[in-house]
Amino acid sequence: MNKIKSIDDLRKMKKDLEFGMNIREKSNSPESLVQIRVAMATCGIASGAREVMNTMIEKIEKDKIPAVVTQGGCMGYCYAEPTVEVRVPGKDPVVFGYVNSKVAIDILEKYILKGELIEGIIPTNYQSIN
Amino acid sequence: MKDIAMHILDILQNSVTAGAENISVTIDEDIKGNKLTVIVEDDGKGMDSEQVERVTDPFFTSRTTRKVGLGIPLFKQSAIQSGGTFFIDSFPGRGTAITAQFVYDNIDRLPLGDIANVFVLTLSSNPSIEFRLKYIYNGSVYMFDTVEVKEVLEGVPLSEPGVIKALTDMINENIKDLKC
């Protein structure tokens, strides 16, 4: 891919960016985008929220997952940082704790794409057998 | 915090919470003068002189979810441990400017880290705020402004993963150019 250096390069790239956006949004309507919020207060940042957010953005772009990632604040779960709040349209929001890059991928692949529950929901209300 | 970029990511959240409409970050790598300066300025709600004094106290915070506020104390500690200085300039209703100066070659100075990454992550999450980045390396300057980026992108949101990647690459390419 060509290197982007100036605003002009960005302008030339706009079509590709729009294309990527449409693929993700057309499969579902825009309001059905999954909202992901990575808690980004001091506690979250210090325990690795930046890596989690980067991993999720990369994965969403690569697999064209209909989701947006934004930053959130501290929810008081400092002990369980990094935390990620996931709002799947039509479902109650869920907060995952102790998220790292691996768990972040699981959240996208299992919880968001397949609707499977995974461990790590806080406050704990789901545990797999054994 | 592992690097200065993480501190900036943290401090930027304060500006966002303060209701800023414009946030600017200045990074000045002055290797000849052996100084590294980071300035984060916003036009948010600001603080009065009493709050400015208390804000470097870890047991002061404006939030309600917990009783400690470590963002500013940790940033200050990082600057001071490198032999540098730390200032807060704030006025109620006008905004806040935080200046951390590091001694460049001090062994206790944290590495800079990926400034472009944390800057773009924050601007993509806050599309209604205008962000500016001024990167100075030994006097050469690179400027980035979300106003012109939004003009070019028109309808494509800043939270679009492709945009996040493109903007991060763009800033990193320009910083790399400053350094050679």
Side-chain angles (χ1 to χ4, degrees), chain A residues 119 127-130:
Chain A
E119 282 194 14
Q127 274 175 323
S128 58
I129 300 163
N130 71 59

Side-chain angles (χ1 to χ4, degrees), chain A residues 1 3-14 17-22 24-25 40-51 53-54 56-58 60-62 65 67-78, chain B residues 1-3 5-7 9-11 13 63 65-66 69-72 74 113-114 117-118 121-122 124-126 142 144-145 148-149 152-157 159-167 169-171 173-174 176-177:
Chain A
M1 199 181 69
K3 281 187 177 151
I4 318 147
K5 250 191 87 174
S6 64
I7 289 291
D8 271 338
D9 297 339
L10 196 65
R11 190 173 285 127
K12 282 175 206 148
M13 220 196 143
K14 200 190 147 214
L17 295 171
E18 261 174 347
F19 185 67
M21 177 178 79
N22 288 341
R24 291 191 315 120
E25 289 190 359
M40 281 273 180
T42 312
C43 43
I45 295 167
S47 46
R50 180 178 57 175
E51 286 72 22
M53 189 168 175
N54 282 325
M56 291 187 122
I57 289 170
E58 233 169 75
I60 284 170
E61 199 208 3
K62 203 173 113 233
I65 300 170
V68 279
V69 187
T70 55
Q71 300 172 339
C74 175
M75 290 181 285
Y77 294 122
C78 304
Chain B
M1 299 288 167
K2 287 183 195 147
D3 54 41
M6 284 168 96
H7 280 300
L9 178 60
D10 193 8
I11 297 304
Q13 302 302 324
R63 71 174 67 248
T65 50
R66 54 173 152 79
L70 295 173
I72 288 178
L74 290 175
D114 195 341
N117 179 236
V118 296
L121 285 183
T122 311
S124 71
S125 295
N126 302 284
Y142 167 66
F144 174 95
D145 194 328
E148 50 180 21
V149 169
V152 170
L153 291 175
E154 289 164 20
V156 186
S159 57
E160 177 61 28
V163 174
I164 294 175
K165 195 166 170 284
L167 293 181
D169 288 351
M170 183 173 111
I171 295 172
E173 277 299 311
N174 282 285
K176 210 165 84 188
D177 256 33

Side-chain angles (χ1 to χ4, degrees), chain A residues 34-38 56 60 67-70 84-86 108 112:
Chain A
V34 178
Q35 304 273 344
I36 301 171
R37 283 157 66 92
V38 181
M56 291 187 122
I60 284 170
V68 279
V69 187
T70 55
V84 171
E85 181 189 334
V86 183
L108 291 168
I112 292 176

Side-chain angles (χ1 to χ4, degrees), chain B residues 44-49 52 89-97:
Chain B
K45 65 181 174 195
M47 296 176 284
D48 57 33
S49 50
V52 170
D89 190 14
S90 190
F91 197 83
R94 272 193 233 157
T96 302

